[in-house]
Amino acid sequence: MGELRYVRLGFGDEAVAYLDAWEEQRRVHAARVADEVPDTCLLLEHPPVYTAGRRTLDDERPLDGTPVVDVDRGGKITWHGPGQLVGYPILRLPNPVDVIAHVRRLEEALIRTAAEFGLATTRVEGRSGVWVLGDAVQERPSPGLVLDFDPRVRTDAFDPRLSGPEYAPSNAGQRREDRKLAAIGIRVAKGVTMHGFSLNVNPDNTYFDRIVPCGIRDAGVTSLAYELGRDVTVAEVLPVVERHLREVLAEAESEARGAAEAVAPPAGLEHASA
């Protein structure tokens, strides 16, 4: 990974349609594979759109038939729209290619970003993305049912979309449950990454209530604005994300270089034989 170039494609009234951004991703990806451009991160907002990764199940899609764009990234279904900062880092990964390490680097940059705004976030084992942890189960407010009868702990088939707003993903903060601040879904082809992350800055999170976000039924979604209790704009967050992503990638490159030097044979012994 070399110097990272940022391209700000469009925000607000100039938000970029998802299919247009996907086509631009493919163009930049092909150019990066051919070493015609440096590592590049596309940054933008989308008009409202649902996108489904390869592992999305039919019962996780909108019940009302709202259109969904099926894409070639990993992960499941999510939503993109105004108030959400989307980043598509198109990077050549070092050999050997480590996809999980790439995901962890994206998470780390977003964790540092949230911390700079005063919000503590973390990872959740087995679930990609950046999370705000909820209270312990016994300390959460009851949605009107005792825990023993809470449908989420009685059946894997529980569907929050059929159970009223008290179970909606957008209300997870009120229930003091775990809630996702940033989602990550990627694809790696020919050693170069595509797709990336979406950070909820100040979106209308009720859009997530039509789907099962990322296929997770026992947690919800949140935003910087909700957690901080104040207005936060994408324009305010954008340069902070850029700085932390650049720092995290530079640290990873330095570590990889150091590891390679540590295992290199002493000068003059490359061709020595036993």
Side-chain angles (χ1 to χ4, degrees):
M1 291 181 292
E3 180 64 21
L4 180 62
R5 174 183 66 146
Y6 288 108
V7 178
R8 298 181 177 184
L9 286 185
F11 302 90
D13 293 340
E14 298 180 351
V16 182
Y18 186 85
L19 292 177
D20 292 341
W22 194 8
E23 179 60 32
E24 179 64 6
Q25 278 197 76
R26 288 191 287 257
R27 186 191 70 79
V28 176
H29 181 273
R32 184 66 191 96
V33 168
D35 279 329
E36 296 171 353
V37 298
D39 288 341
T40 300
C41 182
L42 308 178
L43 293 159
L44 62 149
E45 280 179 283
H46 287 303
V49 61
Y50 293 100
T51 70
R54 293 186 297 260
R55 295 191 300 110
T56 301
L57 303 177
D58 288 344
D59 63 0
E60 296 164 350
R61 296 168 180 264
L63 295 176
D64 60 3
T66 300
V68 175
V69 178
D70 288 284
V71 297
D72 57 355
R73 60 167 170 79
K76 295 198 171 191
I77 190 167
T78 192
W79 171 84
H80 299 305
Q84 184 186 77
L85 175 57
V86 176
Y88 298 129
I90 301 173
L91 317 173
R92 181 180 298 282
L93 296 182
N95 285 318
V97 170
D98 188 336
V99 177
I100 299 301
H102 174 60
V103 171
R104 296 293 173 260
R105 287 190 286 268
L106 298 184
E107 290 170 344
E108 179 63 25
L110 298 176
I111 288 171
R112 294 184 188 184
T113 296
E116 186 160 330
F117 282 89
L119 177 61
T121 59
T122 188
R123 299 176 178 89
V124 171
E125 186 176 355
R127 294 178 171 179
S128 66
V130 175
W131 292 81
V132 177
L133 293 184
D135 294 347
V137 171
Q138 63 271 21
E139 297 174 1
R140 297 175 187 171
S142 170
L145 298 171
V146 297
L147 183 61
D148 288 346
F149 292 96
D150 187 329
R152 291 166 297 177
V153 299
R154 292 176 61 83
T155 173
D156 292 337
F158 171 73
D159 193 331
R161 297 167 298 181
L162 302 177
S163 303
E166 64 268 31
Y167 293 111
S170 62
N171 287 332
Q174 297 177 35
R175 298 190 301 270
R176 299 205 297 271
E177 295 176 347
D178 292 355
R179 45 215 184 263
K180 182 176 280 192
L181 178 71
I184 294 174
I186 67 167
R187 177 181 182 230
V188 179
K190 299 181 180 179
V192 176
T193 65
M194 286 184 66
H195 301 288
F197 64 85
S198 55
L199 173 63
N200 295 331
V201 178
N202 59 356
D204 178 359
N205 276 341
T206 61
Y207 277 100
F208 288 102
D209 297 344
R210 296 185 183 181
I211 60 175
V212 181
C214 302
I216 298 173
R217 298 175 186 270
D218 61 348
V221 294
T222 192
S223 67
L224 280 173
Y226 176 85
E227 297 296 335
L228 297 173
R230 66 175 179 86
D231 185 43
V232 187
T233 66
V234 169
E236 186 180 353
V237 174
L238 179 59
V240 182
V241 168
E242 289 178 339
R243 173 161 44 83
H244 285 298
L245 184 57
R246 192 184 302 277
E247 289 172 354
V248 167
L249 294 177
E251 290 168 7
E253 185 170 12
S254 177
E255 291 171 2
R257 188 182 308 115
E261 292 171 353
V263 299
L269 297 183
E270 290 88 348
H271 303 293
S273 58

